[in-house]
Amino acid sequence: MTLDEAAPVAAAPRRRAAGDPVKTLLHRHRALCERAVDPLEIAAGLEVQGITDRTAARFRHRDVFSLAEELYARTPRGDEPAAPSTVRPSDARALRGFGYALLPGVLALAAGAAGVPYAGPLAVAVTVAALAWPARPGRTAAARFPYAVLLLAAAAAGWAVHRHGTPLGVALALAAAPGHLAGAVYAARARSRLAGSRVLEDFADRARPLLIAATLAFTAAAAGAAALAGTPYAVAVPLALLLFLTRLLLMHGAPRGPVAAALALALVPTPPAVAVAAAGLLVHAALVLSRASAHARP
């Protein structure tokens, strides 16, 4: 009789845990839930951990976003109100970032027009610097400056400028500012689409056209920069596009391996190499940047 009475007592915790499956998930991802500023951050973090809409169904939710909303609501938070502020740091950061993005083109154009010695290497240096600045806010110094990728970018751009002349370097530097602007607009619109999505696949379908639109807008700007610098479109535009996609992926925290591989391919001394590298990186970007986690606030 003692054994019969003990069995229900031992089984009771299992029934309670099964009755509240979200509680286990909350404990497992407590750090993510506590630092999230909204449910979207939790949804993106869960996606990184491999939790999909199908997985969310096991937790009695129709999708990851609904699950994230419950986790956010059930996470204990401080009751102190946020300090009021009339200044939006994001606006100031965006304005400052665009100002920095203008500098490479100004410096390279001035050096090229003045016939300064080593104007080509200078243009390459400021163009590659624009890939790392402004970095994604909140990232560590190691993540902010991926040295191996930047060295490969410098090698690819430098090798091309060495073969085709200083005007190519000027064109690449001039394309830094429109690249920054296109990337900022893309990030803002993707974040807005993420806020309006309820299913991860739905967000992916919304995000890919945004990437194509940003790429086309930048391609037109790169062609204009090539015309202004007086360098062939066929040389300048694919290389500028490759650098633009490199920066976009770095700013969204994408894995660096495919980026480094594309830049290494651009070093192959054959005319189609850069175009093939840019096309491959665009396909990779379409896959990576369609994930909600790529657009979460850091």
Side-chain angles (χ1 to χ4, degrees):
M1 182 174 185
T2 304
L3 293 177
D4 294 338
E5 292 175 348
V9 175
R14 286 195 295 269
R15 286 200 298 269
R16 284 197 296 269
D20 187 10
V22 177
K23 185 175 181 179
T24 302
L25 193 67
L26 179 62
H27 283 293
R28 188 182 307 161
H29 301 283
R30 178 170 294 277
L32 167 66
C33 296
E34 288 179 347
R35 70 170 181 265
V37 298
D38 57 31
L40 296 177
E41 301 299 324
I42 299 178
L46 294 177
E47 183 195 36
V48 172
Q49 300 297 324
I51 296 178
T52 64
D53 293 326
R54 181 176 299 178
T55 310
R58 299 208 304 265
F59 296 94
R60 303 175 183 174
H61 282 271
R62 64 183 180 276
D63 52 51
V64 173
F65 290 93
S66 175
L67 176 61
E69 286 172 353
E70 180 177 348
L71 290 172
Y72 184 80
R74 293 177 61 174
T75 300
R77 302 180 189 279
D79 296 331
E80 65 278 3
S85 174
T86 58
V87 179
R88 296 179 61 185
S90 59
D91 292 343
R93 189 186 304 120
L95 184 60
R96 184 171 62 250
F98 185 68
Y100 284 125
L102 287 171
L103 286 177
V106 172
L107 292 175
L109 191 61
V116 175
Y118 304 109
L122 172 65
V124 171
V126 295
T127 300
V128 173
L131 297 180
W133 183 267
R136 188 182 185 188
R139 297 184 68 79
T140 63
R144 186 176 299 174
F145 299 109
Y147 296 108
V149 172
L150 295 180
L151 286 174
L152 282 170
W159 172 237
V161 170
H162 173 73
R163 288 186 296 165
H164 299 284
T166 298
L168 174 59
V170 174
L172 296 177
L174 287 172
H180 171 84
L181 184 60
V185 171
Y186 165 75
R189 290 188 175 179
R191 181 74 190 177
S192 176
R193 296 288 176 89
L194 177 60
S197 299
R198 297 301 309 170
V199 182
L200 294 177
E201 289 78 3
D202 178 45
F203 170 71
D205 293 339
R206 292 167 172 238
R208 292 189 185 103
L210 289 178
L211 177 63
I212 298 302
T215 302
L216 291 175
F218 174 77
T219 300
L228 183 61
T231 193
Y233 298 125
V235 175
V237 173
L239 185 55
L241 181 58
L242 178 64
L243 296 178
F244 168 70
L245 292 171
T246 295
R247 183 184 184 280
L248 199 61
L249 287 165
L250 291 180
M251 293 304 101
H252 287 273
R256 302 173 194 169
V259 179
L263 292 170
L265 177 60
L267 287 168
V268 176
T270 57
V274 176
V276 170
L281 200 57
L282 178 59
V283 172
H284 176 67
L287 297 174
V288 172
L289 299 182
S290 63
R291 295 170 60 90
S293 54
H295 304 279
R297 291 186 183 97

